[in-house]
mmCIF file of all heavy atoms in Angstrom:
data_model
loop_
_atom_site.group_PDB
_atom_site.id
_atom_site.type_symbol
_atom_site.label_atom_id
_atom_site.label_comp_id
_atom_site.label_asym_id
_atom_site.label_seq_id
_atom_site.Cartn_x
_atom_site.Cartn_y
_atom_site.Cartn_z
ATOM 1 N N LEU A 1 2.188 -0.857 -3.476
ATOM 2 C CA LEU A 1 1.217 0.011 -2.812
ATOM 3 C C LEU A 1 0.213 -0.819 -2.019
ATOM 4 O O LEU A 1 -0.056 -0.545 -0.845
ATOM 5 C CB LEU A 1 0.488 0.854 -3.848
ATOM 6 C CG LEU A 1 -0.754 1.630 -3.379
ATOM 7 C CD1 LEU A 1 -0.350 2.743 -2.434
ATOM 8 C CD2 LEU A 1 -1.517 2.197 -4.567
ATOM 9 N N LEU A 2 -0.320 -1.866 -2.638
ATOM 10 C CA LEU A 2 -1.312 -2.706 -1.969
ATOM 11 C C LEU A 2 -0.718 -3.438 -0.775
ATOM 12 O O LEU A 2 -1.382 -3.606 0.252
ATOM 13 C CB LEU A 2 -1.904 -3.715 -2.962
ATOM 14 C CG LEU A 2 -2.675 -3.124 -4.138
ATOM 15 C CD1 LEU A 2 -3.305 -4.239 -4.967
ATOM 16 C CD2 LEU A 2 -3.743 -2.143 -3.672
ATOM 17 N N SER A 3 0.543 -3.872 -0.901
ATOM 18 C CA SER A 3 1.186 -4.562 0.221
ATOM 19 C C SER A 3 1.358 -3.619 1.410
ATOM 20 O O SER A 3 1.204 -4.024 2.566
ATOM 21 C CB SER A 3 2.539 -5.138 -0.209
ATOM 22 O OG SER A 3 3.490 -4.113 -0.456
ATOM 23 N N HIS A 4 1.658 -2.360 1.128
ATOM 24 C CA HIS A 4 1.815 -1.373 2.194
ATOM 25 C C HIS A 4 0.457 -0.999 2.795
ATOM 26 O O HIS A 4 0.365 -0.705 3.990
ATOM 27 C CB HIS A 4 2.517 -0.124 1.652
ATOM 28 C CG HIS A 4 3.965 -0.356 1.356
ATOM 29 N ND1 HIS A 4 4.771 0.579 0.725
ATOM 30 C CD2 HIS A 4 4.766 -1.427 1.611
ATOM 31 C CE1 HIS A 4 5.992 0.090 0.610
ATOM 32 N NE2 HIS A 4 6.013 -1.125 1.130
ATOM 33 N N VAL A 5 -0.595 -1.027 1.955
ATOM 34 C CA VAL A 5 -1.953 -0.791 2.468
ATOM 35 C C VAL A 5 -2.328 -1.906 3.431
ATOM 36 O O VAL A 5 -2.824 -1.665 4.534
ATOM 37 C CB VAL A 5 -2.966 -0.717 1.307
ATOM 38 C CG1 VAL A 5 -4.400 -0.812 1.842
ATOM 39 C CG2 VAL A 5 -2.791 0.584 0.532
ATOM 40 N N ARG A 6 -2.086 -3.158 3.018
ATOM 41 C CA ARG A 6 -2.427 -4.312 3.853
ATOM 42 C C ARG A 6 -1.607 -4.335 5.140
ATOM 43 O O ARG A 6 -2.066 -4.843 6.162
ATOM 44 C CB ARG A 6 -2.221 -5.611 3.069
ATOM 45 C CG ARG A 6 -3.258 -5.828 1.965
ATOM 46 C CD ARG A 6 -3.158 -7.230 1.396
ATOM 47 N NE ARG A 6 -1.934 -7.415 0.636
ATOM 48 C CZ ARG A 6 -1.835 -7.234 -0.669
ATOM 49 N NH1 ARG A 6 -2.904 -6.880 -1.377
ATOM 50 N NH2 ARG A 6 -0.692 -7.421 -1.306
ATOM 51 N N ALA A 7 -0.393 -3.777 5.071
ATOM 52 C CA ALA A 7 0.470 -3.746 6.250
ATOM 53 C C ALA A 7 0.116 -2.599 7.192
ATOM 54 O O ALA A 7 0.739 -2.451 8.253
ATOM 55 C CB ALA A 7 1.933 -3.627 5.816
ATOM 56 N N GLY A 8 -0.861 -1.812 6.820
ATOM 57 C CA GLY A 8 -1.299 -0.717 7.677
ATOM 58 C C GLY A 8 -0.386 0.489 7.656
ATOM 59 O O GLY A 8 -0.405 1.309 8.586
ATOM 60 N N LYS A 9 0.414 0.647 6.599
ATOM 61 C CA LYS A 9 1.353 1.759 6.524
ATOM 62 C C LYS A 9 0.762 2.996 5.851
ATOM 63 O O LYS A 9 1.296 4.090 5.976
ATOM 64 C CB LYS A 9 2.613 1.330 5.749
ATOM 65 C CG LYS A 9 3.397 0.207 6.409
ATOM 66 C CD LYS A 9 4.611 -0.148 5.567
ATOM 67 C CE LYS A 9 5.437 -1.264 6.213
ATOM 68 N NZ LYS A 9 6.620 -1.620 5.383
ATOM 69 N N ILE A 10 -0.319 2.809 5.100
ATOM 70 C CA ILE A 10 -0.873 3.894 4.294
ATOM 71 C C ILE A 10 -2.244 4.315 4.818
ATOM 72 O O ILE A 10 -3.106 3.474 5.076
ATOM 73 C CB ILE A 10 -0.969 3.463 2.815
ATOM 74 C CG1 ILE A 10 0.439 3.280 2.239
ATOM 75 C CG2 ILE A 10 -1.762 4.481 1.994
ATOM 76 C CD1 ILE A 10 0.469 2.742 0.830
ATOM 77 N N GLY A 11 -2.431 5.626 4.946
ATOM 78 C CA GLY A 11 -3.711 6.137 5.425
ATOM 79 C C GLY A 11 -4.541 6.755 4.326
ATOM 80 O O GLY A 11 -5.769 6.807 4.411
ATOM 81 N N THR A 12 -3.854 7.229 3.256
ATOM 82 C CA THR A 12 -4.554 7.901 2.166
ATOM 83 C C THR A 12 -3.911 7.543 0.834
ATOM 84 O O THR A 12 -2.682 7.505 0.716
ATOM 85 C CB THR A 12 -4.511 9.435 2.332
ATOM 86 O OG1 THR A 12 -5.080 9.792 3.593
ATOM 87 C CG2 THR A 12 -5.273 10.136 1.212
ATOM 88 N N VAL A 13 -4.746 7.286 -0.159
ATOM 89 C CA VAL A 13 -4.285 7.039 -1.525
ATOM 90 C C VAL A 13 -4.892 8.114 -2.414
ATOM 91 O O VAL A 13 -6.105 8.355 -2.374
ATOM 92 C CB VAL A 13 -4.708 5.648 -2.036
ATOM 93 C CG1 VAL A 13 -4.323 5.479 -3.513
ATOM 94 C CG2 VAL A 13 -4.062 4.548 -1.202
ATOM 95 N N ILE A 14 -4.047 8.771 -3.222
ATOM 96 C CA ILE A 14 -4.534 9.820 -4.106
ATOM 97 C C ILE A 14 -4.073 9.550 -5.534
ATOM 98 O O ILE A 14 -2.940 9.125 -5.763
ATOM 99 C CB ILE A 14 -4.061 11.221 -3.626
ATOM 100 C CG1 ILE A 14 -4.683 12.319 -4.487
ATOM 101 C CG2 ILE A 14 -2.541 11.315 -3.611
ATOM 102 C CD1 ILE A 14 -4.470 13.720 -3.930
ATOM 103 N N VAL A 15 -4.959 9.789 -6.496
ATOM 104 C CA VAL A 15 -4.658 9.579 -7.913
ATOM 105 C C VAL A 15 -5.183 10.754 -8.730
ATOM 106 O O VAL A 15 -6.031 11.518 -8.275
ATOM 107 C CB VAL A 15 -5.306 8.278 -8.437
ATOM 108 C CG1 VAL A 15 -4.676 7.057 -7.793
ATOM 109 C CG2 VAL A 15 -6.820 8.292 -8.211
ATOM 110 N N LYS A 16 -4.669 10.885 -9.949
ATOM 111 C CA LYS A 16 -5.161 11.927 -10.862
ATOM 112 C C LYS A 16 -6.613 11.656 -11.210
ATOM 113 O O LYS A 16 -7.463 12.538 -11.145
ATOM 114 C CB LYS A 16 -4.314 11.947 -12.137
ATOM 115 C CG LYS A 16 -4.879 12.793 -13.270
ATOM 116 C CD LYS A 16 -3.992 12.675 -14.499
ATOM 117 C CE LYS A 16 -4.605 13.395 -15.704
ATOM 118 N NZ LYS A 16 -5.688 12.605 -16.331
ATOM 119 N N ASP A 17 -6.901 10.428 -11.622
ATOM 120 C CA ASP A 17 -8.278 10.003 -11.851
ATOM 121 C C ASP A 17 -8.338 8.495 -11.640
ATOM 122 O O ASP A 17 -7.307 7.825 -11.527
ATOM 123 C CB ASP A 17 -8.782 10.393 -13.249
ATOM 124 C CG ASP A 17 -7.914 9.857 -14.375
ATOM 125 O OD1 ASP A 17 -7.672 8.630 -14.408
ATOM 126 O OD2 ASP A 17 -7.468 10.647 -15.218
ATOM 127 N N MET A 18 -9.532 7.970 -11.564
ATOM 128 C CA MET A 18 -9.690 6.560 -11.224
ATOM 129 C C MET A 18 -9.089 5.625 -12.252
ATOM 130 O O MET A 18 -8.679 4.504 -11.931
ATOM 131 C CB MET A 18 -11.174 6.241 -11.024
ATOM 132 C CG MET A 18 -11.770 6.887 -9.778
ATOM 133 S SD MET A 18 -13.454 6.359 -9.491
ATOM 134 C CE MET A 18 -13.829 7.273 -7.980
ATOM 135 N N SER A 19 -9.010 6.066 -13.512
ATOM 136 C CA SER A 19 -8.441 5.206 -14.549
ATOM 137 C C SER A 19 -6.953 4.971 -14.335
ATOM 138 O O SER A 19 -6.384 3.993 -14.822
ATOM 139 C CB SER A 19 -8.681 5.808 -15.935
ATOM 140 O OG SER A 19 -7.892 6.968 -16.135
ATOM 141 N N ARG A 20 -6.281 5.892 -13.606
ATOM 142 C CA ARG A 20 -4.862 5.672 -13.298
ATOM 143 C C ARG A 20 -4.729 4.505 -12.326
ATOM 144 O O ARG A 20 -3.785 3.722 -12.414
ATOM 145 C CB ARG A 20 -4.247 6.934 -12.663
ATOM 146 C CG ARG A 20 -4.195 8.164 -13.533
ATOM 147 C CD ARG A 20 -3.474 7.951 -14.828
ATOM 148 N NE ARG A 20 -4.381 7.635 -15.921
ATOM 149 C CZ ARG A 20 -4.015 7.094 -17.062
ATOM 150 N NH1 ARG A 20 -2.767 6.759 -17.280
ATOM 151 N NH2 ARG A 20 -4.908 6.854 -18.009
ATOM 152 N N PHE A 21 -5.672 4.382 -11.398
ATOM 153 C CA PHE A 21 -5.621 3.302 -10.412
ATOM 154 C C PHE A 21 -5.968 1.968 -11.066
ATOM 155 O O PHE A 21 -5.268 0.979 -10.901
ATOM 156 C CB PHE A 21 -6.589 3.594 -9.269
ATOM 157 C CG PHE A 21 -6.505 2.619 -8.124
ATOM 158 C CD1 PHE A 21 -5.511 2.738 -7.166
ATOM 159 C CD2 PHE A 21 -7.412 1.574 -8.015
ATOM 160 C CE1 PHE A 21 -5.415 1.831 -6.118
ATOM 161 C CE2 PHE A 21 -7.329 0.669 -6.974
ATOM 162 C CZ PHE A 21 -6.332 0.786 -6.024
ATOM 163 N N SER A 22 -7.047 1.942 -11.837
ATOM 164 C CA SER A 22 -7.441 0.716 -12.538
ATOM 165 C C SER A 22 -8.466 1.036 -13.612
ATOM 166 O O SER A 22 -9.317 1.909 -13.429
ATOM 167 C CB SER A 22 -8.019 -0.308 -11.566
ATOM 168 O OG SER A 22 -8.458 -1.475 -12.257
ATOM 169 N N ARG A 23 -8.386 0.305 -14.721
ATOM 170 C CA ARG A 23 -9.379 0.433 -15.779
ATOM 171 C C ARG A 23 -10.355 -0.747 -15.743
ATOM 172 O O ARG A 23 -11.194 -0.883 -16.633
ATOM 173 C CB ARG A 23 -8.707 0.511 -17.149
ATOM 174 C CG ARG A 23 -8.041 1.856 -17.434
ATOM 175 C CD ARG A 23 -7.650 1.965 -18.889
ATOM 176 N NE ARG A 23 -6.976 3.209 -19.207
ATOM 177 C CZ ARG A 23 -7.591 4.351 -19.492
ATOM 178 N NH1 ARG A 23 -8.917 4.396 -19.465
ATOM 179 N NH2 ARG A 23 -6.911 5.429 -19.795
ATOM 180 N N GLU A 24 -10.217 -1.607 -14.750
ATOM 181 C CA GLU A 24 -11.136 -2.732 -14.603
ATOM 182 C C GLU A 24 -12.248 -2.340 -13.636
ATOM 183 O O GLU A 24 -11.991 -2.016 -12.469
ATOM 184 C CB GLU A 24 -10.401 -3.971 -14.083
ATOM 185 C CG GLU A 24 -9.602 -4.691 -15.156
ATOM 186 C CD GLU A 24 -9.151 -6.063 -14.703
ATOM 187 O OE1 GLU A 24 -9.506 -6.485 -13.584
ATOM 188 O OE2 GLU A 24 -8.441 -6.721 -15.471
ATOM 189 N N PHE A 25 -13.476 -2.383 -14.108
ATOM 190 C CA PHE A 25 -14.634 -1.959 -13.330
ATOM 191 C C PHE A 25 -14.726 -2.701 -11.995
ATOM 192 O O PHE A 25 -14.903 -2.096 -10.940
ATOM 193 C CB PHE A 25 -15.905 -2.187 -14.160
ATOM 194 C CG PHE A 25 -17.178 -1.976 -13.398
ATOM 195 C CD1 PHE A 25 -17.511 -0.722 -12.913
ATOM 196 C CD2 PHE A 25 -18.052 -3.030 -13.173
ATOM 197 C CE1 PHE A 25 -18.696 -0.514 -12.217
ATOM 198 C CE2 PHE A 25 -19.244 -2.833 -12.484
ATOM 199 C CZ PHE A 25 -19.557 -1.577 -12.003
ATOM 200 N N ILE A 26 -14.594 -4.020 -12.037
ATOM 201 C CA ILE A 26 -14.756 -4.824 -10.820
ATOM 202 C C ILE A 26 -13.627 -4.559 -9.821
ATOM 203 O O ILE A 26 -13.865 -4.389 -8.618
ATOM 204 C CB ILE A 26 -14.828 -6.324 -11.169
ATOM 205 C CG1 ILE A 26 -16.093 -6.603 -11.997
ATOM 206 C CG2 ILE A 26 -14.824 -7.176 -9.899
ATOM 207 C CD1 ILE A 26 -16.225 -8.039 -12.448
ATOM 208 N N VAL A 27 -12.393 -4.506 -10.324
ATOM 209 C CA VAL A 27 -11.236 -4.261 -9.445
ATOM 210 C C VAL A 27 -11.352 -2.895 -8.774
ATOM 211 O O VAL A 27 -11.187 -2.764 -7.554
ATOM 212 C CB VAL A 27 -9.917 -4.346 -10.240
ATOM 213 C CG1 VAL A 27 -8.736 -3.878 -9.383
ATOM 214 C CG2 VAL A 27 -9.683 -5.771 -10.726
ATOM 215 N N LEU A 28 -11.644 -1.871 -9.561
ATOM 216 C CA LEU A 28 -11.774 -0.517 -9.014
ATOM 217 C C LEU A 28 -12.886 -0.456 -7.978
ATOM 218 O O LEU A 28 -12.714 0.112 -6.898
ATOM 219 C CB LEU A 28 -12.045 0.468 -10.152
ATOM 220 C CG LEU A 28 -12.157 1.945 -9.778
ATOM 221 C CD1 LEU A 28 -10.870 2.430 -9.121
ATOM 222 C CD2 LEU A 28 -12.467 2.779 -11.013
ATOM 223 N N GLY A 29 -14.010 -1.066 -8.298
ATOM 224 C CA GLY A 29 -15.137 -1.062 -7.372
ATOM 225 C C GLY A 29 -14.819 -1.767 -6.070
ATOM 226 O O GLY A 29 -15.193 -1.300 -4.985
ATOM 227 N N ASP A 30 -14.109 -2.900 -6.156
ATOM 228 C CA ASP A 30 -13.755 -3.653 -4.955
ATOM 229 C C ASP A 30 -12.921 -2.802 -4.000
ATOM 230 O O ASP A 30 -13.154 -2.798 -2.784
ATOM 231 C CB ASP A 30 -12.981 -4.918 -5.333
ATOM 232 C CG ASP A 30 -13.891 -6.020 -5.841
ATOM 233 O OD1 ASP A 30 -15.118 -5.910 -5.632
ATOM 234 O OD2 ASP A 30 -13.385 -6.977 -6.452
#
């Protein structure tokens, strides 16, 4: 997913809740 974001292929990312994306405070915030 991140590689496709960096490649400019993705315009929107959707998740059920933020904990699905990451449980690390710093990573999620970044």
Side-chain angles (χ1 to χ4, degrees):
L1 169 69
L2 297 185
S3 69
H4 289 173
V5 166
R6 289 190 291 267
K9 297 180 179 179
I10 293 175
T12 303
V13 175
I14 185 170
V15 293
K16 169 183 174 282
D17 56 54
M18 291 186 179
S19 70
R20 296 304 96 197
F21 186 80
S22 177
R23 286 192 182 276
E24 282 193 3
F25 172 65
I26 295 177
V27 171
L28 182 59
D30 282 345

